[in-house]
Amino acid sequence: MGVLILLGVAALCVSGCSKKRLLAKDSYRQHYVDVTQKYLPRIVGTLKKARFAHVDNDDFQDLILQRSGKGSASQILLLTNKNKRGFDFPRENKVVRTEKGEILFFSAGDFDRDHADDLILIQKEGGNTFARLLFNNRKGYYYKKVDYVFPEIRQGVERVQVVDLDHDGDLDLFFYGKRVLNPAGRLDRLQAQAFINNGKGDFQDLSAMLLPPFPPGISGAFFADYDGDEIRDIFLIYAKARNRLLFNNSLGKFIDKTAGNLPDIKDETTHGDWADFDGDGDNDFLVINRRMAPKDRAYSRETCYFLENDGRGRFTKRSHRILPQTPASRVYLLDANGNGIPDALILAEGKVQYLQGQGEWKFSVETVKRLPRDRRMLEMAFGDIDDDGYLDIFAIGFRDRKGKLWLNRFK
């Protein structure tokens, strides 16, 4: 979801959440039920990405999908939530009208504070990469404003995270890629861009003011308070270089504090996420890897590991044999069973592994008990589709690239 922690809808959730934490009385009964056939219409083509968002003006979370058909370019599809009747295509505007070009990435957020989620797209046409912001008319129609000027993104930008970088209550944008180039076509000293929102959906590129230079190769960015000052920092992951940690100076400017705060581990990181795994009040980190150098392993097949926070943003490696010992691609952290302790869903070689948190670095493998049988997934998205306070799952199948919908149940 960029990824923010998903400690139930009852705790933290994307773009902010007003619901209070819900503690389930029967957390041991929690499980996911496959309701794909009942809740989803037939979707032609293969799916590449999914996001939950508020498309129309009701209170239920809808779905935004990126679809590609045989021999056709990607499209953005809308599925509106009909509550107990499941999801369906809207009568109008089933496909979002976009600029010509391949869709590299999309995300959603309420950028103009009108209580409807807008769309941010990264596209490529004729070797040129560009970003487009489409506003929502609060009824699910997405449009480009006349005479609206959006700052240019650098060539090589591939991803965008929706996050409040300056802590003023509105959503900003953090763009990055594995090899970002300057206008002259050379490697840019800034491998990310920070676009700051004025609260009305107008953005200004303040990258040079807010961001330090760091090496190319960024494959993910994770925003949380890591040093205990209640201000959001940035954890950057690299597939073929050392991961990096940027602290916010409380004024919105980020400073590279990797040296002395992160262990220098030779690995190929694919994903990660943060949570308080030991219950001491600070945010730790779970690093998901393709592989790790033998010298850095605590045991022969170690692939993934935790980083334990001392409360001031200084991390030490903490190994755990319950983590996958094969190449892994994704991790999603959430309080699935409502007991107030983070659980983990990890995709390793396409298979979903469910680790139920027991607190203080203790976990149990609950995959068979908690998840439906068909568990080979490419990607997952989380949202409370039935408004019961607990996160449900939309997943894209590993082989068929079709959508699957799992409801969180306690019966």
Side-chain angles (χ1 to χ4, degrees):
M1 133 214 230
V3 184
L4 293 175
I5 191 172
L6 301 170
L7 285 181
V9 172
L12 301 177
C13 59
V14 177
S15 301
C17 187
S18 61
K19 293 188 178 182
K20 297 180 180 179
R21 177 182 297 277
L22 300 178
L23 297 179
K25 295 180 179 179
D26 300 321
S27 61
Y28 62 93
R29 293 184 177 181
Q30 184 273 337
H31 63 286
Y32 286 96
V33 178
D34 190 334
V35 294
T36 304
Q37 297 299 320
K38 180 180 179 181
Y39 276 64
L40 288 183
R42 181 173 178 267
I43 303 171
V44 178
T46 59
L47 298 180
K48 301 181 68 175
K49 190 167 291 295
R51 288 284 186 275
F52 282 97
H54 287 286
V55 170
D56 51 24
N57 54 13
D58 63 23
D59 293 330
F60 299 104
Q61 289 189 297
D62 309 298
L63 270 168
I64 304 177
L65 307 176
Q66 183 180 354
R67 175 190 70 175
S68 60
K70 187 176 181 180
S72 63
S74 292
Q75 294 177 318
I76 300 297
L77 299 181
L78 303 179
L79 285 176
T80 52
N81 189 342
K82 305 300 183 182
N83 195 9
K84 296 182 180 180
R85 292 180 288 140
F87 290 83
D88 205 352
F89 296 111
R91 294 180 180 179
E92 300 178 354
N93 309 314
K94 167 184 172 182
V95 178
V96 176
R97 297 179 182 179
T98 62
E99 299 279 342
K100 184 179 179 182
E102 177 188 0
I103 299 173
L104 301 180
F105 195 83
F106 81 89
S107 194
D110 181 9
F111 300 116
D112 54 2
R113 297 187 178 186
D114 66 350
H115 306 292
D117 286 332
D118 311 300
L119 274 175
I120 178 69
L121 303 173
I122 300 176
Q123 294 182 257
K124 190 172 185 178
E125 171 68 15
N128 182 48
T129 304
F130 58 92
R132 291 290 182 268
L133 183 58
L134 300 179
F135 289 92
N136 188 341
N137 71 345
R138 300 184 65 188
K139 297 181 180 179
Y141 175 74
Y142 287 89
Y143 64 98
K144 181 182 176 182
K145 287 184 178 179
V146 177
D147 299 326
Y148 176 81
V149 178
F150 191 76
E152 291 186 0
I153 61 172
R154 296 285 197 235
Q155 297 307 301
V157 165
E158 302 167 315
R159 298 287 186 270
V160 59
Q161 293 277 27
V162 177
V163 59
D164 183 5
L165 288 170
D166 55 357
H167 296 267
D168 64 351
D170 55 42
L171 297 177
D172 309 304
L173 297 169
F174 184 85
F175 292 92
Y176 61 92
K178 294 179 181 177
R179 185 176 173 81
V180 177
L181 306 178
N182 63 22
R186 293 188 290 271
L187 200 65
D188 201 311
R189 63 184 293 273
L190 295 177
Q191 289 293 296
Q193 291 179 268
F195 288 8
I196 302 302
N197 189 353
N198 69 352
K200 300 178 182 179
D202 296 313
F203 289 86
Q204 184 177 4
D205 184 354
L206 298 182
S207 308
M209 180 186 299
L210 302 181
L211 300 178
F214 32 78
I218 304 169
S219 56
F222 302 86
F223 300 84
D225 172 21
Y226 297 117
D227 59 359
D229 64 355
E230 299 184 359
I231 302 295
R232 196 171 288 111
D233 309 302
I234 310 176
F235 193 110
L236 298 176
I237 65 169
Y238 286 74
K240 296 183 179 180
R242 184 181 184 183
N243 296 328
R244 308 195 76 81
L245 186 61
L246 310 180
F247 285 171
N248 193 320
N249 71 348
S250 300
L251 299 174
K253 184 177 178 62
F254 293 91
I255 303 170
D256 193 333
K257 292 289 186 178
T258 303
N261 287 280
L262 281 186
D264 190 1
I265 299 172
K266 303 297 182 184
D267 52 16
E268 297 181 15
T269 303
T270 57
H271 206 234
D273 210 346
W274 55 271
D276 182 5
F277 294 107
D278 49 8
D280 64 353
D282 55 45
N283 293 314
D284 311 297
F285 204 86
L286 173 53
V287 180
I288 299 298
N289 288 319
R290 185 174 292 110
R291 59 180 61 89
M292 188 190 307
K295 72 177 184 63
D296 292 317
R297 299 176 193 161
Y299 51 92
S300 62
R301 297 185 61 193
E302 185 177 23
T303 304
C304 307
Y305 58 89
F306 292 98
L307 289 173
E308 184 175 1
N309 193 343
D310 69 351
R312 295 171 295 175
R314 186 172 298 140
F315 291 88
T316 55
K317 180 173 176 283
R318 187 181 184 99
S319 300
H320 205 309
R321 290 180 181 268
I322 203 168
L323 296 174
Q325 299 180 24
T326 57
S329 61
R330 287 285 187 276
V331 59
Y332 305 96
L333 302 177
L334 67 158
D335 181 12
N337 61 348
N339 66 354
I341 300 172
D343 309 306
L345 291 172
I346 302 176
L347 304 187
E349 297 184 333
K351 298 179 182 178
V352 184
Q353 180 179 0
Y354 186 119
L355 302 182
Q356 181 176 297
Q358 308 293 336
E360 298 182 354
W361 304 107
K362 297 177 182 177
F363 299 86
S364 60
V365 179
E366 302 281 339
T367 308
V368 175
K369 180 179 179 181
R370 308 289 180 176
L371 301 181
R373 294 183 62 183
D374 186 2
R375 296 187 291 267
R376 287 184 62 80
M377 300 298 169
L378 177 70
E379 185 174 307
M380 308 175 86
F382 295 79
D384 180 13
I385 67 173
D386 52 1
D387 203 36
D388 66 349
Y390 298 97
L391 291 176
D392 310 298
I393 300 174
F394 182 91
I396 299 175
F398 185 79
R399 287 196 179 95
D400 61 9
R401 302 297 196 266
K402 302 295 183 183
K404 296 176 175 59
L405 190 61
W406 296 349
L407 278 187
N408 200 341
R409 297 295 198 204
F410 289 84
K411 297 180 181 179

